Amino acid sequence: MLLKRNNMTAGELAEQTGQTRQNLSNKMKRNNYSEDELRAIAAALGCECKITFVLKDGQEL
């Protein structure tokens, strides 16, 4: 969704985050990213990466 909004292809995102298109595609399929990768993707898409832990009662830490 963010790729479309930014008129960007997965290949362009891969290039901007310093990886191959195939590597990014594999990570997207597995939904398997490191925190650093998520931050790099967010930056390339003009977004902020916000990671939070939420307790089971719904309270954020």
Side-chain angles (χ1 to χ4, degrees), residues 1-59:
M1 181 169 68
L2 285 172
L3 286 173
K4 279 189 175 186
R5 186 174 183 171
N6 285 287
N7 295 318
M8 185 183 292
T9 66
E12 291 168 330
L13 178 61
E15 186 177 311
Q16 288 190 26
T17 57
Q19 55 190 317
T20 65
R21 188 173 68 73
Q22 184 62 43
N23 188 47
L24 179 62
S25 176
N26 288 338
K27 288 178 183 184
M28 291 172 103
K29 287 178 188 173
R30 293 187 311 260
N31 197 23
N32 184 20
Y33 308 91
S34 71
E35 181 181 342
D36 288 341
E37 289 168 332
L38 288 173
R39 292 190 187 285
I41 290 169
L45 294 170
C47 298
E48 178 184 344
C49 181
K50 181 178 177 183
I51 300 171
T52 60
F53 287 86
V54 180
L55 297 173
K56 290 183 179 184
D57 65 7
Q59 204 176 17

